[in-house]
Amino acid sequence: MENNEYVMFTKEMKKTHTILVPNMLPNHFKIIIRLMKKYGYNMVLLENSARRVVDEGLKSVHNDTCYPALLVIGQFLDALKSGEYELDKTALLITQTGGGCRASNYIHLLRKALATDFPEVPVISLNFSNTEKSDGFKLTVGMVLGLVNCIFYGDLIMTLYNQCKPYEICDGDTDIALNECLEYMYDRIEKGGFGKRKKNYRYIIDKFNSVKRIKIRKPRVGIVGEIYVKYSPLANNNLEKFLLKEGCEPVVPGLMDFVLYCIVNYINDGKIYGFSNMRTRICSLLYRLLRRMNKTVNELLEKNGFTPAHDFEELRKEADELIHQGVKMGEGWLITAEMGCLAKSGTENIVCTQPFGCLPNHIVAKGMSRRVKEKYPQANIVAIDYDPSATNVNQENRLKLMIANIGSTQKV
Ligand code: SF4
């Protein structure tokens, strides 16, 4: 599609438009939206989530297309039709991965869906691969560094929430800690920047550490899968909440794993195809830097009695034993490696979230579960399909069956 066939997001629009953002990771995105405000972008996180969203998606996206595309586009259309936003002052933000997977092309599906009823609404591509640019939205080095920090803080908050919520003695204490941490992050941003990282990590850890918890160990259930369905409560029908309600501790690998996976894939390409260029060198540097930052968070977690996430090199080692790091379509080797590492470290019950229409996920997740089980016979991997016709009841019954087979709560 040529640029002049659709309306572009211009510098002037930056001052006048509200940018709608689809909801994937609510807490991470809430922090990111505050950060973007600092750079002059007025963003709103979409929270519409009723069946209407799926129905809107089905009207504009072929039902053979992957489910995340259908939901993201449905959520945008539902919001535009709600009357809440002035159409001539609204823009939409969507990610483009730039890889071989279909996520690079959601943007074209979205523009097609907008063409009849909302031709005046511009779509902004958020990408790190130069797939598309617009005058009004430019990622600066400061913004990228800020985004990286938001991911670390978001991951830390998510990890701590899941490790406190199942054990809280006073109902709601963990949610209070969560809200206080979010307010703290907003305040840091408003005051000009995040400031000292370690100080912020400590604040967040101390807040959650102050939640009084019972000393038992509930069954841990890992969540892996295609990135959108794995994290988005809209897509996975509030999977984390459901597991908490059923007396489990959800273990959700952080978004930083996916970022590192994307960076490592560039480095691996250089090794596999025998080339070295500016991009592979920058990625190597970035990888070392982010891993060091990740290590700091993990060390602080461990020091305070929480379970840290896996070191990324551990995931790569696991991938080498189970699959090949050249398998990089969609979430590729990362899902297999996450299943292996979870099983190895005692989170043997794993829910593998499978969106309809996702070929890569079927291969690297469901398709690899036998290989993971051969290596870790105690692993209990359940693949749950998410699609427009799948009912909550069906998904929850399968999860309940899995939970029924898990050993009971233990004292620690
Ligand atoms: S990973 Fe799966 S769901 Fe995501 S874009 Fe690719 S095919 Fe679609």
Side-chain angles (χ1 to χ4, degrees):
M1 200 185 273
E2 294 295 320
N3 278 354
N4 57 10
E5 286 180 41
Y6 48 80
V7 49
M8 294 290 288
F9 186 75
T10 61
K11 280 183 192 158
E12 291 67 39
M13 288 177 180
K14 184 178 167 183
K15 292 175 211 139
T16 54
H17 279 51
T18 299
I19 303 170
L20 307 186
V21 180
N23 198 351
M24 186 172 91
L25 274 148
N27 295 324
H28 290 65
F29 282 23
K30 278 178 193 163
I31 305 174
I32 289 174
I33 281 173
R34 289 295 177 117
L35 177 81
M36 287 297 163
K37 205 172 178 146
K38 193 180 134 197
Y39 290 96
Y41 299 100
N42 177 26
M43 294 191 177
V44 171
L45 184 67
L46 290 179
E47 309 214 63
N48 46 335
S49 63
R51 173 75 210 178
R52 282 193 328 262
V53 168
V54 179
D55 292 336
E56 278 303 334
L58 279 170
K59 280 185 214 160
S60 310
V61 180
H62 194 282
N63 63 354
D64 275 352
T65 310
C66 30
Y67 190 48
L70 190 140
L71 283 179
V72 169
I73 294 171
Q75 194 174 37
F76 278 140
L77 292 175
D78 181 56
L80 293 175
K81 287 182 182 175
S82 70
E84 266 182 65
Y85 307 98
E86 285 180 70
L87 295 178
D88 57 346
K89 291 200 179 89
T90 303
L92 312 177
L93 182 91
I94 193 164
T95 50
Q96 256 188 311
T97 55
C101 207
R102 284 184 275 178
S104 300
N105 298 306
Y106 287 4
I107 195 164
H108 307 299
L109 283 177
L110 175 59
R111 285 196 174 115
K112 216 171 147 201
L114 293 173
T116 322
D117 294 333
F118 309 105
E120 69 276 47
V121 177
V123 181
I124 304 165
S125 160
L126 175 64
N127 69 79
F128 299 92
S129 46
N130 264 340
T131 40
E132 200 179 295
K133 291 179 186 166
S134 54
D135 286 349
F137 186 80
K138 285 198 167 58
L139 280 176
T140 60
V141 177
M143 277 163 84
V144 174
L145 289 177
L147 286 174
V148 165
N149 275 312
C150 290
I151 294 175
F152 276 118
Y153 295 126
D155 282 351
L156 180 62
I157 290 172
M158 177 176 75
T159 302
L160 289 165
Y161 184 87
N162 283 333
Q163 289 185 29
C164 290
K165 185 71 187 168
Y167 307 105
E168 66 183 9
I169 291 173
C170 293
D171 207 15
D173 272 5
T174 316
D175 294 273
I176 293 171
L178 164 75
N179 289 331
E180 284 178 356
C181 288
L182 289 176
E183 287 301 329
Y184 174 80
M185 295 318 304
Y186 302 157
D187 188 57
R188 304 292 327 154
I189 294 168
E190 258 150 47
K191 289 198 171 125
F194 288 121
K196 290 209 164 76
R197 270 201 322 275
K198 261 196 172 178
K199 190 179 155 216
N200 297 335
Y201 296 150
R202 279 201 201 100
Y203 176 90
I204 295 170
I205 292 173
D206 288 349
K207 268 286 154 219
F208 280 99
N209 228 348
S210 67
V211 173
K212 291 207 167 39
R213 287 159 280 158
I214 34 170
K215 292 206 179 323
I216 54 165
R217 171 67 58 222
K218 292 191 176 183
R220 287 184 170 155
V221 178
I223 302 178
V224 300
E226 187 274 340
I227 187 165
Y228 181 78
V229 177
K230 168 179 161 184
Y231 292 128
S232 166
L234 164 66
N236 63 29
N237 294 326
N238 282 303
L239 178 58
E240 271 173 74
K241 252 195 195 156
F242 176 79
L243 291 174
L244 285 166
K245 188 169 72 70
E246 292 298 313
C248 301
E249 178 190 325
V251 182
V252 192
L255 182 60
M256 188 44 70
D257 277 359
F258 183 74
V259 174
L260 290 170
Y261 159 80
C262 294
I263 294 171
V264 157
N265 283 341
Y266 281 122
I267 304 170
N268 286 343
D269 278 353
K271 284 189 191 144
I272 294 169
Y273 302 110
F275 67 86
S276 168
N277 56 25
M278 185 67 98
R279 193 180 222 181
T280 52
R281 285 193 287 276
I282 291 176
C283 283
S284 299
L285 256 173
L286 206 58
Y287 179 65
R288 283 201 294 274
L289 176 75
L290 295 181
R291 248 198 84 215
R292 208 175 320 136
M293 287 166 81
N294 218 358
K295 213 170 150 214
T296 310
V297 183
N298 284 347
E299 280 170 1
L300 284 172
L301 278 170
E302 202 160 13
K303 221 170 117 188
N304 286 278
F306 292 101
T307 310
H310 301 105
D311 177 69
F312 201 78
E313 279 300 302
E314 218 182 303
L315 280 167
R316 290 180 78 184
K317 219 170 124 219
E318 194 64 26
D320 288 338
E321 289 173 23
L322 290 166
I323 191 170
H324 189 279
Q325 286 186 50
V327 182
K328 57 167 195 158
M329 232 16 86
E331 281 65 30
W333 58 265
L334 179 67
I335 298 184
T336 317
E338 281 180 344
M339 290 197 290
C341 276
L342 283 168
K344 188 157 91 178
S345 59
T347 304
E348 291 148 2
N349 302 286
I350 301 166
V351 180
C352 185
T353 56
Q354 303 259 139
F356 178 79
C358 178
L359 180 64
N361 205 59
H362 274 76
I363 295 166
V364 296
K366 203 174 189 171
M368 286 304 292
S369 60
R370 185 170 158 199
R371 178 79 190 87
V372 176
K373 279 184 196 163
E374 276 167 8
K375 191 168 177 220
Y376 302 104
Q378 75 285 12
N380 175 22
I381 303 169
V382 176
I384 306 285
D385 292 319
Y386 292 90
D387 69 61
S389 57
T391 61
N392 262 10
V393 179
N394 215 330
Q395 290 157 349
E396 288 180 359
N397 281 346
R398 297 213 49 222
L399 289 165
K400 277 184 182 167
L401 205 63
M402 180 187 99
I403 294 164
N405 290 327
I406 302 177
S408 57
T409 299
Q410 299 157 6
K411 280 199 171 151
V412 287

